[in-house]
Amino acid sequence: GFRCTGCGNCCRGTIVMVTDADVDRVMDGTGQRPTDFLRFVDEDEAKIEQRSGWWIRFAHGPHQARAVMALKHRPGGACIFLDDDDRCTIYEDRPVTCREHPFEVELSESRAVIDIAISDIVECPHDWDGKVTKRELCNVVTWNERQSDPFLEKIKAWNRRRSGPKTRPAFLRWLGYQV
């Protein structure tokens, strides 16, 4: 019965990690370059597991630094694509993570939904008069996995690289983007 009330809370102060497939979709929908809407969030700001496959390693002087690729924020902490009316300006092209939010869905090995919870990352003043189906949630979770898994393999390959620059622009170029 969940229904989004359009408050925009999930688009403020949250780090929306993206895959290269998300980047491609946003680029196609907006005509923007990745550097217009992407940022790299360092370990001190991103609160994800230390062993997460989302960490991209960069050279930082004599040390290694890690970051995750995410959507930029406007001043004040709102997503760069959230307008003044709390609406997503790239709704049809938004990252799959945004499509899955605020649900935390657990699937069985046979791909059946076995658990659904509402994320508590941000306050979500939702209503219970909506019509979100388990099938829709399963499809979004599956879509997210299908694009995340290959991207995580790309991160793993990048992190193993021993030659070439290990900078943020170099990572974007390595993925095939003009910077």
Side-chain angles (χ1 to χ4, degrees), residues 2-3 12-13 16 46-47 59 73 76-77 79 87 106 116 130-132 134 138 152 161 174:
F2 178 90
R3 179 176 59 86
R12 287 188 191 84
V16 178
K47 306 295 183 225
H73 284 167
C79 174
R87 296 291 179 243
E106 184 179 347
I116 303 171
K131 293 186 176 17
V132 177
K134 287 182 181 179
C138 180
L152 294 176
R161 285 180 65 227
W174 186 78

Side-chain angles (χ1 to χ4, degrees), residues 104-160:
E104 294 176 355
V105 181
E106 184 179 347
L107 301 179
S108 69
E109 287 192 24
S110 66
R111 309 306 294 166
V113 174
I114 56 176
D115 189 37
I116 303 171
I118 301 292
S119 172
D120 61 1
I121 291 174
V122 295
E123 182 181 342
C124 180
H126 55 277
D127 274 325
W128 290 110
D129 59 354
K131 293 186 176 17
V132 177
T133 68
K134 287 182 181 179
R135 176 172 286 165
E136 290 170 315
L137 290 175
C138 180
N139 289 342
V140 170
V141 169
T142 301
W143 182 11
N144 202 355
E145 290 172 355
R146 281 191 195 133
Q147 76 172 29
S148 295
D149 291 346
F151 182 63
L152 294 176
E153 288 301 315
K154 290 176 184 177
I155 291 173
K156 194 183 297 183
W158 165 268
N159 288 344
R160 284 193 303 257

Side-chain angles (χ1 to χ4, degrees), residues 2 14 18 27 37 60 87 99-100 106 115 122 166:
F2 178 90
T14 55
V18 294
M27 286 174 52
F37 60 87
H60 186 69
R87 296 291 179 243
R99 297 165 193 262
E100 191 173 329
E106 184 179 347
D115 189 37
V122 295
K166 295 281 279 192

Side-chain angles (χ1 to χ4, degrees), residues 8-16 39 45 73-74 76-79 82 121-122:
N9 285 358
C10 55
C11 304
R12 287 188 191 84
T14 55
I15 296 170
V16 178
R39 68 188 180 124
E45 187 181 351
H73 284 167
R74 294 188 332 232
C79 174
L82 185 68
I121 291 174
V122 295

